[in-house]
Amino acid sequence: MHDGGGATNPVKIFANIFISFVGAGGLGLPFAFKTAGILEGVLILGFVSVVSVKAMLMLIDCKYKLEERLDVRRKFKIVSKVKGEDVEEELLKGVESSEASAQNGEASGQRRKGSDESASSKNEIDYSDVGFYALGSKGKVIVDISIVVSQVGFSCAYLIFISSNLVTFVPGLSKNGWIGLMMAPLTLLCLLRHLNRLAIFSLFADFANMFAYSVVFWFDFEHVQNVRIHPKQMSLVGFPFFLGIAFYCYEGAGMILALESSVLASKRPKFRKIFIFALVVVTTLYISFGVCGYLSFGPETESIITLNLPEGIIPELVKSCLCFSLFFTYPVMMFPVVVIMENRLLQGTYKSTSTGNVLRSGMVLLTGIVVILIPNIATLMALVGATCCTLLAFILPGIFHMRIFQESLTRGQWVFDVFLIVMGIIAACFGTWDALKRLFPGLVPESLIFLTTSESPATTDDLQALNALMNGTGET
């Protein structure tokens, strides 16, 4: 493999990884700790982080194994068959042409860092390619659908965050009203075919996120002495919910190969150690941030912790920076969605700029409708985490690794692959059931709902009180 371009400095590699995993979604962690309890939350986050790192490193192993086989294919013209499909031949053509990889690399890389990663992602194998090699066309379809749904979920979470905070600035306009106002400008931004113009806003979003975390930490420690420590340590009822949130926070499988590809080829052997160290730092940040926020505000912890901040110039500045930056990050998050949708749906005579614009506009409108139907960011995060994030982060890596390394798997590797698949399926079932229970409480028998007395006041979220009752988040 040629060296190509890419990051060489370990600090820059660490920064790319760190920024990719620390986003606005972490602002919902204090509410998740409120739901599940401190001890349970710490254990779940620690467990999910370890398993997630292992699963993502397995995807990198799959990529390296696939590159070795393609090198052999180039040299000796050996073609293997997967259920009648000339997989290596088709994949080799795709990698050599770099069309699919360039588009996916540009979308994934620019999600956080812009054209730097996209340039180095060309001629690189991506997640869809790994799925194609492991399971044929259906593997690629499953990966593409999962990425589309998860990215749409992230975009919806951004809309909820922005509208929830804008309501505090202009109380006269409802959340749905703000969402309606944002549809037109967001549609125009999503019509852009190249994201280089938005790179500066993505960088600003990264700094805004870290600024927000720092300010919230400051107010946590300033506020904690005046608040009674919420006594909950564990809540089995909140276990599925917190598990979905944890999966959401560690969903990096969809971009791990893009991050690895952003490193100069000669420096990639160092990527594993840097990646593990970065995720240890991220996990420490998540645990401390969630626990401190929950202990500071106790039963009054909101689904978005910034809603707990007092009035003042600094808190308002935090909210303004986050809303502004996330507004311009929205089209970056939607970029891989529209690229995949256009490649899948618009073929032949249907592929044109006008039809592409209609499709892009429709996807933006879809996110607005989803946000109106699911206005609670915590519930949306849990639902996306339990479904697509679980599939991308655990189930598919286990299946792909088992298929690609089937001839050389050790017993330990086989056991871990099976563990990933089984755990992912069970977690997806329980997490999805819990999220749907929150969305449609009437579907759950009253005998299965554990109620406690709640001291929590009404919040800005219409579903907050209902969620607290259904999951025992209040305390006597």
Side-chain angles (χ1 to χ4, degrees):
M1 182 187 301
H2 60 84
D3 238 12
T8 60
N9 191 315
V11 176
K12 182 177 181 181
I13 297 172
F14 172 86
N16 288 350
I17 298 171
F18 183 82
I19 289 172
S20 297
F21 279 85
V22 178
L27 299 176
L29 276 175
F31 178 77
F33 272 93
K34 170 188 172 183
T35 303
I38 296 177
L39 181 58
E40 182 176 319
V42 172
L43 292 176
I44 293 175
L45 272 180
F47 173 78
V48 171
S49 66
V50 172
V51 178
S52 297
V53 169
K54 176 62 177 176
M56 285 184 276
L57 291 179
M58 284 168 47
L59 282 177
I60 296 178
D61 291 337
C62 290
K63 172 189 173 182
Y64 290 164
K65 186 69 172 181
L66 186 51
E67 287 176 340
E68 292 177 4
R69 294 185 179 181
L70 291 180
D71 287 339
V72 173
R73 169 67 181 87
R74 289 187 180 98
K75 293 179 180 179
F76 301 103
K77 304 297 183 181
I78 298 175
V79 180
S80 68
K81 302 286 185 178
V82 177
K83 294 185 178 179
E85 294 181 276
D86 193 346
V87 174
E88 289 190 8
E89 179 70 23
E90 293 299 322
L91 185 54
L92 182 58
K93 292 178 180 178
V95 173
E96 288 177 340
S97 66
S98 77
E99 293 180 359
S101 295
Q103 290 172 339
N104 186 76
E106 184 177 3
S108 301
Q110 289 199 36
R111 174 180 176 183
R112 293 290 185 191
K113 294 301 298 177
S115 59
D116 203 17
E117 284 91 340
S118 67
S120 61
S121 292
K122 295 182 179 180
N123 296 311
E124 295 285 352
I125 294 173
D126 59 26
Y127 202 161
S128 297
D129 293 331
V130 174
F132 181 60
Y133 185 89
L135 299 177
S137 297
K138 65 180 180 181
K140 183 177 179 63
V141 171
I142 293 173
V143 171
D144 286 346
I145 292 177
S146 299
I147 291 177
V148 166
V149 176
S150 61
Q151 291 293 111
V152 168
F154 299 149
S155 301
C156 291
Y158 279 14
L159 288 181
I160 296 175
F161 181 91
I162 296 172
S163 59
S164 297
N165 283 278
L166 287 178
V167 167
T168 63
F169 296 149
V170 185
L173 192 61
S174 66
K175 289 173 62 176
N176 291 345
W178 279 111
I179 293 171
L181 287 178
M182 289 189 288
M183 288 294 98
L186 286 177
T187 299
L188 293 177
L189 289 175
C190 287
L191 296 182
L192 295 174
R193 262 57 181 185
H194 302 284
L195 295 179
N196 292 336
R197 299 174 183 176
L198 295 176
I200 184 63
F201 295 107
S202 295
L203 182 62
F204 180 73
D206 298 330
F207 284 106
N209 286 336
M210 296 312 301
F211 176 59
Y213 275 91
S214 301
V215 171
V216 172
F217 263 124
W218 173 267
F219 280 101
D220 284 346
F221 288 109
E222 185 182 61
H223 192 239
V224 69
Q225 60 184 352
N226 301 321
V227 178
R228 176 179 64 86
I229 295 180
H230 204 38
K232 180 184 295 183
Q233 294 181 341
M234 296 190 72
S235 170
L236 293 179
V237 180
F239 176 79
F241 175 78
F242 195 101
L243 196 61
I245 297 294
F247 288 161
Y248 182 97
C249 290
Y250 286 98
E251 197 289 299
M255 59 184 174
I256 184 62
L257 296 184
L259 285 171
E260 191 268 347
S261 297
S262 69
V263 180
L264 193 69
S266 60
K267 302 294 183 180
R268 288 179 189 177
K270 299 181 179 179
F271 180 82
R272 288 175 178 272
K273 292 183 178 180
I274 298 175
F275 176 72
I276 294 173
F277 175 72
L279 265 293
V280 170
V281 175
V282 169
T283 301
T284 303
L285 174 64
Y286 275 158
I287 291 177
S288 56
F289 184 81
V291 170
C292 290
Y294 167 55
L295 290 182
S296 296
F297 299 102
E300 288 75 33
T301 304
E302 297 275 8
S303 58
I304 306 174
I305 193 62
T306 53
L307 299 178
N308 285 108
L309 297 180
E311 295 183 359
I313 297 178
I314 299 299
E316 297 303 320
L317 180 61
V318 170
K319 297 177 184 179
S320 300
C321 289
L322 285 174
C323 290
F324 180 80
S325 62
L326 294 182
F327 180 87
F328 285 97
T329 306
Y330 174 96
V332 180
M333 301 295 288
M334 288 293 291
F335 189 80
V337 174
V338 295
V339 168
I340 291 175
M341 295 292 288
E342 287 180 348
N343 290 337
R344 286 283 178 182
L345 301 179
L346 305 182
Q347 300 292 335
T349 57
Y350 295 99
K351 191 170 185 178
S352 64
T353 302
S354 58
T355 54
N357 290 342
V358 173
L359 178 61
R360 290 166 182 253
S361 301
M363 294 305 298
V364 174
L365 180 61
L366 176 63
T367 61
I369 295 175
V370 171
V371 168
I372 293 175
L373 295 177
I374 310 178
N376 187 295
I377 189 172
T379 302
L380 179 62
M381 288 170 60
L383 181 60
V384 174
T387 53
C388 293
C389 294
T390 304
L391 188 64
L392 287 170
F394 301 103
I395 301 176
L396 292 182
I399 295 175
F400 294 168
H401 186 266
M402 184 179 294
R403 291 279 297 179
I404 293 176
F405 287 87
Q406 57 184 334
E407 298 177 356
S408 59
L409 276 180
T410 64
R411 182 177 296 273
Q413 291 173 332
W414 182 87
V415 170
F416 188 78
D417 288 342
V418 173
F419 167 75
L420 277 181
I421 298 170
V422 174
M423 183 201 72
I425 293 175
I426 294 176
C429 293
F430 277 98
T432 303
W433 175 83
D434 181 77
L436 293 177
K437 179 186 68 174
R438 295 164 181 273
L439 292 176
F440 309 103
L443 296 179
V444 181
E446 293 184 2
S447 60
L448 297 181
I449 302 178
F450 300 91
L451 302 179
T452 61
T453 304
S454 175
E455 296 178 355
S456 302
T459 67
T460 56
D461 242 323
D462 295 336
L463 297 181
Q464 176 99 0
L466 179 59
N467 288 337
L469 288 174
M470 290 180 60
N471 294 278
T473 56
E475 294 290 340
T476 57

